[in-house]
Amino acid sequence: MRYTDNLELIRAAYQAFHDRDVTALLGTMAEDMEWVHPESMSTYGLGGTKVGHDGVRAFLAKVPTVLGGMKLHPTEFVQSGDRVVVFGVRDVTSLSGHTEELEFVHSWTLRDGLAVRMEDIFDTVAFQRVIEN
């Protein structure tokens, strides 16, 4: 599905993530999507750039092997041209059940009604602390 409004597209992506609907989430993304996380998360298989729908699927499949859960709460959406930046917090739960609220910034780049890049920016030290608890 192609969206005519970039904010509508990004809100749909967060709703799909909330609903754990991978098909709907991928429907907001171009086939050559770049899904980018800090390299320091590579220790857990979560760092670097994943490319395409298969890369996003592989990333999402890896998350439950290192985390007990995660809920995103976007609080602000800022749009400039083909870029939408989202500020928010996420509840991150370790495999042992320890939960912390951590801030995030997601920078989305859009083209022709689909996301082509998402960069997740966050405090990796705090995130790793949750994973290790």
Side-chain angles (χ1 to χ4, degrees), residues 37 40-47 50 58-70 91-99 122 126-133:
H37 289 83
S40 61
M41 297 302 291
S42 294
T43 302
Y44 307 100
L46 302 177
K50 311 302 186 235
F59 175 87
L60 295 173
K62 182 66 176 171
V63 172
T65 70
V66 296
L67 290 175
M70 182 169 31
D91 299 323
V92 181
T93 303
S94 69
L95 292 173
S96 68
H98 173 77
T99 300
F122 56 93
F127 204 101
Q128 290 173 13
R129 182 181 62 236
V130 174
I131 291 174
E132 296 298 325
N133 275 323

Side-chain angles (χ1 to χ4, degrees), residues 29-121:
M29 300 175 182
E31 290 289 333
D32 59 348
M33 174 70 176
E34 294 179 344
W35 188 262
V36 184
H37 289 83
E39 287 293 336
S40 61
M41 297 302 291
S42 294
T43 302
Y44 307 100
L46 302 177
T49 301
K50 311 302 186 235
V51 179
H53 288 188
D54 288 343
V56 174
R57 271 191 210 93
F59 175 87
L60 295 173
K62 182 66 176 171
V63 172
T65 70
V66 296
L67 290 175
M70 182 169 31
K71 293 181 182 174
L72 299 177
H73 307 285
T75 57
E76 183 179 358
F77 296 79
V78 179
Q79 180 178 358
S80 179
D82 286 338
R83 173 76 52 104
V84 175
V85 176
V86 180
F87 298 87
V89 296
R90 62 179 137 212
D91 299 323
V92 181
T93 303
S94 69
L95 292 173
S96 68
H98 173 77
T99 300
E100 288 191 33
E101 185 178 89
L102 304 175
E103 295 180 345
F104 70 82
V105 176
H106 290 163
S107 176
W108 295 83
T109 304
L110 305 126
R111 182 180 65 233
D112 300 325
L114 292 172
V116 295
R117 182 178 172 89
M118 190 285 297
E119 185 172 357
D120 193 355
I121 303 159

